Every structure is written in C-alpha cells, then in structure tokens.
Amino acid sequence: MEQRKALTTTKMRKMKQDGVPITMITAYDYPSARLAEEAGIDVILVGDSLGNVVDGYDSTLPVTMDDMVYHTRAAVRGASRTFIVADMPFLTYHGSLDATLKGVARLMQEGGAKAVKLEGGAEIAATVKAITEAGVPVVGHLGLTPQSVHQLGGFRVQGRSSEQAEKLLSDAKAIEAAGAFAIVLELVTDELAAWISKQLAIPTIGIGSGVQCDGQVLVYHDLLQYGSDSAPRKFVKAYANIGETIRAGIGEYVKEVKSRAFPSPDHSFHMDNDVVQYLYGDKEE
Ligand code: KIV
C-alpha cells in the first residue's frame, strides 16, 4: 500500500482553490494522533485546549511551553505522516522577538511540529511576519480567541455587529499579509466567516463558524464525547460516545475483579505440575 505523505501549506492553498475542504482535529498524545492519522485527517492541531480537555483547567491560560512541547512530541510520534500544527501558549509571543522565536524553535525542534498557531489580529501581525520570515509556517486564530477569554467576557459568538465584522476582516487581512498560510475562525457568525473566506487567498479553518469556511476543526474530546458528561455545545457534533464506552468497560472490569471472574484461566500462566508439587508439597489442599 502506498504510504500517504503529509500535506504541505502549498497543497492546502490549492485545496482552497479547488473547493476541497480541509479536515483538522486536535490531538494531544500518541494514540489520539495515530487514530486521527489512520482515519485520514488532513491536519492535526496540538491545541492548548489540552488545558481544558486533558488537564481539567477551566481555561487554556495555565498551559505552558513545556506542556506544549511534551504533547506535540507525543502526537508527532503517533502521526509522522500528518501535518502537525502546535499552539503557542498564553503570552509566549508578546514579549521580545528573541523569546518568541525560542518558543517557536522548541515546538519545532523538540516537539517536531511543522507549524505554529498564534491567536490575535493586527496587533500580532509583526510577530507573525517575523516567524514566517524565519521560515516557520504560521496559522492565525481569530474570532473567539480562548487565550483572551477574560478580555472578551466569556465564550461568545464573535462578528455579530458591523463594527466587529469590519475589525475581524481587517485582522484577517493583516494576518494573511503577514505571511500566515491559514487562519482558524472560532465562533464567528456564518455570514462573516463566509465573507472573510472569500476575501482571503489562504484557507480559513472554522470551528463554530459555519460550513463555508475552507476547512473545519473540532476538539478530539468534543467530537468523540471523551471525558465530558455535558451535552455537546451547539457547534459540536458528537460522532461517537467513547466516554460512555470507556466508563462501561471500566465498570465491567471492576465488577469482574470483585467477583473473581477476572483473570480467568485464559488470562493466567501456569507452571509444570512437578514444580507445583515442589512448591506446595504436602501443604497443597
Ligand atoms: O486549542 C485548540 O484546540 C484550538 C482549536 C479550538 C481551534 O485552538
């Protein structure tokens, strides 16, 4: 069977031109990345959403560069033939350019990412430009930017008013002009996401931003209902409920250990009778 090759930024732009949607999913470790690759995903995002869905924080703010490097390395080991993007965590790209590039270098050299993602608009365009000029592909992230959740006043849909729409469009153009090869649009109204997607030559990847984006991204744990009891949010479609499967499986294991149904003889190893005899001798009942 022919080994598939990882997508390139050029191929993603061509997919946009040809109207072929780009599929992206988050993954944070070896098995999740491996399964995503085997399922044929185009791009894996090692998102700082791992702070929520893996580490149990209520935001992405506590996620560190060490966390991102650790998880990126694991995901890359699981999906070496997939284009993997890693998030730059909270406030790691707002200081000196030198410090920013050191973080980028860690994600690429230690983590093995092929690209980095940064949240923000025109205010970070100079940083995006410097990173791309250093030879690193960048994905932008606009709309609901979770690292600014406290400034945005919560997880709200963005781009409902004409002012917000103008601002988002000009931010998208600034990030494109700075050299980004794609932009994630999170929780942006359908109409605005479609409008921005038409105005840009680079692909938009939507989450909660309607079907007219050039691609879609969902969080692994949301898509598979893994580890969350809450009903999926409006923009999430749950394609499986592995949380339920896992809970049921562990429940069965607990029951069988308590009742000594597990391990059965099939799951056990045996020694020769003469050794049993030697060990137990007369004591054997
Ligand atoms: O961190 C993340 O998973 C993301 C996606 C929600 C796009 O940024």
Side-chain angles (χ1 to χ4, degrees):
M1 198 172 69
E2 204 194 320
Q3 293 275 32
R4 84 172 204 168
K5 286 203 195 110
L7 273 184
T8 60
T9 58
T10 316
K11 279 193 200 144
M12 284 184 241
R13 190 186 272 245
K14 175 89 171 47
M15 285 169 83
K16 171 172 178 130
Q17 286 160 1
D18 295 345
V20 177
I22 297 165
T23 57
M24 182 190 272
I25 189 171
T26 68
Y28 318 99
D29 57 18
Y30 176 87
S32 59
R34 184 177 160 174
L35 292 169
E37 177 170 282
E38 287 170 1
I41 204 78
D42 291 323
V43 182
I44 287 176
L45 170 65
V46 185
D48 60 358
S49 54
L50 68 89
N52 303 100
V53 296
V54 176
D55 295 337
Y57 296 122
D58 62 2
S59 78
T60 58
L61 273 54
V63 176
T64 65
M65 185 58 82
D66 282 346
D67 295 333
M68 290 307 304
V69 169
Y70 173 87
H71 285 279
T72 303
R73 204 163 36 207
V76 167
R77 279 197 294 263
S80 57
R81 294 188 305 281
T82 302
F83 193 96
I84 296 192
V85 182
D87 264 341
M88 289 286 283
F90 181 60
L91 290 191
T92 57
Y93 46 100
H94 299 84
S96 70
L97 184 57
D98 193 41
T100 301
L101 291 179
K102 278 196 179 118
V104 172
R106 288 199 63 198
L107 289 174
M108 312 267 301
Q109 292 183 310
E110 295 176 47
K114 289 207 161 66
V116 295
K117 177 164 79 60
L118 278 65
E119 296 182 7
E123 74 286 358
I124 61 153
T127 307
V128 171
K129 187 162 188 287
I131 299 173
T132 54
E133 281 174 356
V136 176
V138 172
V139 179
H141 186 156
L142 292 168
L144 186 282
T145 44
Q147 292 174 8
S148 315
V149 63
H150 300 308
Q151 191 181 45
L152 294 171
F155 294 92
R156 301 166 176 208
V157 176
Q158 306 290 306
R160 287 198 198 272
S161 69
S162 49
E163 295 76 29
Q164 269 193 353
E166 296 271 350
K167 165 97 174 79
L168 273 174
L169 178 59
S170 78
D171 278 341
K173 286 186 170 168
I175 294 300
E176 177 178 64
F181 76 89
I183 299 182
V184 167
L185 295 178
E186 180 163 356
L187 275 193
V188 172
T189 53
D190 249 47
E191 299 80 0
L192 179 59
W195 178 239
I196 292 175
S197 303
K198 282 206 184 76
Q199 305 280 314
L200 301 183
I202 59 173
T204 58
I205 312 290
I207 173 162
S209 301
V211 74
Q212 293 185 70
C213 293
D214 303 303
Q216 297 292 328
V217 56
L218 279 179
V219 168
Y220 189 91
H221 293 59
D222 291 345
L223 184 156
L224 299 171
Q225 289 292 281
Y226 178 20
S228 163
D229 271 335
S230 51
R233 282 159 295 162
K234 178 176 158 86
F235 63 89
V236 173
K237 180 168 176 186
Y239 286 85
N241 191 339
I242 61 169
E244 194 42 53
T245 306
I246 290 172
R247 192 180 297 114
I250 296 174
E252 196 56 25
Y253 166 68
V254 168
K255 238 171 42 198
E256 291 204 352
V257 170
K258 296 282 185 198
S259 68
R260 296 197 187 275
F262 177 83
S264 72
D266 286 350
H267 298 106
S268 306
F269 304 92
H270 301 281
M271 50 174 43
D272 289 342
N273 269 339
D274 54 338
V275 188
V276 175
Q277 197 63 40
Y278 171 80
L279 281 181
Y280 281 84
D282 294 341
K283 285 171 279 170
E284 199 179 7
E285 290 176 7

